[in-house]
Amino acid sequence: MDRTVVMGGGALGMLLAGKLAAAGIPVRMWTRTREQALVVGERGIELEEGAERVKRVVRLEAAAFEEAAPAETDLVLVAIKQTAASDRTLRELDLKTGAGSAIVLFQNGIGHAERFAEALPGRRILVAVTTEGALRTGVASVRHTGSGTTWIGEWGDGSDEEAVARSAAEPRRAADLLEKAGFSAFVSNSIRERMLRKLLINAVINPLTALWRVPNGELPATPDRMAVMEALFRETLGILRKHGLKDGGERELWASVLEVCRATAANRSSMLQDVLAGRDTEIGALNGALCELAASVGMKAPWNAAVAALVKAI
Ligand code: PAF
């Protein structure tokens, strides 16, 4: 059987690869560093799950991305950060994936699907929007900090009937695979809308948790913090409305931001994890991108500009 490739050895990459392997699905993980590939290949991934934090070690194949042989699969789950998706990495991915393969993108923010589609002609670009929570606890260990939902949809607008029929088949295959691994996964035919909704949530939670160094649940803890969250939320919603976010009233969307804070209360957002580890953050693909979206329709985005500048300055 073809091995599914998971590209990325961060929290989400290890969670995906670990749970797929634990479900008996043949997986190969592509990591950024040779060191991580060696450790994963020798010892496997330690997966920690559930309220009791049960640990188990799962074995899988791993290779450093730069040295890896081309994928022997037509399904690649891309779980690298937007910051790691350099032009060089995309060129390399082009060489390592065959025509017709489905490439599933798990990145936060926006702008990545267009870049991957341009760099990988002839490949099926799928976008996954996930609320799974994961924390990297070591070079080959990950904690599943919260079970969420993953929506997968074909990128593009499927302009004829045949394309629409094809569109459903590939996301279905990817969603079925994740379901087999124990995730809750669905096909979406409005994936752009879901991306924009997630962007709205990330644009509020990620920079503020990173600046204040608090877990998600502590964001709405004081009236001062709530006031900043709301201001950033309103500005971001205004920008996204001009860029196609249709569904949901302001109240419902604000409630969804607070609900994510509640449901992931103990989690450190991915941006806080990056800041604490001294890594580059995704601020450019979140609030930075929002500033550009605002500018493109002549809007001002002072809150997004401020948090982008403050996070960059860390
Ligand atoms: O980026 C993240 O950490 C997550 O998308 C979210 C929803 C903010 C939860 O931590």
Side-chain angles (χ1 to χ4, degrees):
M1 192 204 277
D2 285 351
R3 267 168 212 285
T4 299
V5 168
V6 174
M7 177 177 178
L12 185 62
M14 282 200 275
L15 181 72
L16 291 169
K19 282 183 68 76
L20 286 167
I25 298 162
V27 188
R28 175 170 297 130
M29 187 162 101
W30 285 343
T31 60
R32 188 173 54 80
T33 64
R34 187 188 281 170
E35 291 68 31
Q36 189 184 22
L38 281 174
V39 177
V40 171
E42 270 168 25
R43 293 196 235 138
I45 288 179
E46 185 190 83
L47 192 59
E48 190 180 322
E49 288 193 281
E52 287 82 34
R53 293 203 180 161
V54 178
K55 291 184 182 174
R56 61 186 156 154
V57 172
V58 284
R59 314 296 303 214
L60 61 147
E61 287 183 11
F65 175 61
E66 298 251 323
E67 297 165 1
E72 294 156 15
T73 177
D74 58 357
L75 186 62
V76 178
L77 309 183
V78 181
I80 59 172
K81 292 262 169 62
Q82 288 233 24
T83 44
S86 64
D87 291 345
R88 182 179 161 173
T89 298
L90 295 190
R91 273 199 302 277
E92 195 68 35
L93 186 60
D94 184 33
L95 298 175
K96 291 192 198 299
T97 52
S101 8
I103 314 285
V104 191
L105 307 177
F106 280 83
Q107 289 65 37
N108 275 335
I110 47 164
H112 51 289
E114 291 85 345
R115 285 191 61 228
F116 275 82
E118 200 185 318
L120 303 169
R123 263 43 68 93
R124 313 289 303 276
I125 302 298
L126 310 187
V127 167
V129 174
T130 186
T131 56
E132 293 295 338
L135 179 70
R136 187 187 204 263
T137 50
V139 68
S141 53
V142 63
R143 183 180 304 148
H144 194 186
T145 50
S147 294
T149 303
T150 302
W151 295 90
I152 302 181
E154 177 106 17
W155 183 248
D157 56 10
S159 31
D160 59 35
E161 270 174 32
E162 191 227 355
V164 171
R166 271 194 288 125
S167 287
E170 287 299 323
R172 177 78 274 148
R173 187 160 72 102
D176 285 349
L177 188 84
L178 293 184
E179 284 276 338
K180 265 192 213 140
F183 293 105
S184 166
F186 302 93
V187 172
S188 169
N189 52 20
S190 52
I191 201 69
R192 188 175 156 79
E193 176 81 20
R194 291 198 179 272
M195 260 173 115
L196 295 180
R197 268 191 182 233
K198 175 111 196 277
L199 176 58
L200 177 62
I201 291 169
N202 288 129
V204 175
I205 298 180
N206 294 32
L208 298 181
T209 48
L211 289 167
W212 297 333
R213 309 209 170 191
V214 292
N216 297 348
E218 282 180 31
L219 261 197
T222 72
D224 289 333
R225 289 189 192 158
M226 279 287 256
V228 175
M229 284 176 76
E230 269 196 86
L232 186 53
F233 165 81
R234 286 229 175 81
E235 180 182 292
T236 305
L237 179 58
I239 299 166
L240 292 178
R241 286 281 192 229
K242 296 265 182 214
H243 286 275
L245 181 67
K246 289 193 286 291
D247 299 342
E250 181 170 331
R251 276 236 208 123
E252 184 214 320
L253 292 168
W254 172 240
S256 72
V257 174
L258 296 180
E259 174 51 25
V260 171
C261 291
R262 196 201 55 75
T264 62
N267 290 14
R268 287 184 189 152
S269 74
S270 49
M271 195 171 287
L272 175 57
Q273 291 184 43
D274 286 340
V275 163
L276 294 176
R279 291 188 294 256
D280 275 348
T281 70
E282 293 185 301
I283 195 75
L286 299 175
N287 307 82
L290 281 157
C291 292
E292 286 166 24
L293 290 181
S296 73
V297 290
M299 287 174 82
K300 295 230 175 329
W303 282 96
N304 277 282
V307 295
L310 289 168
V311 171
K312 261 192 220 143
I314 299 179

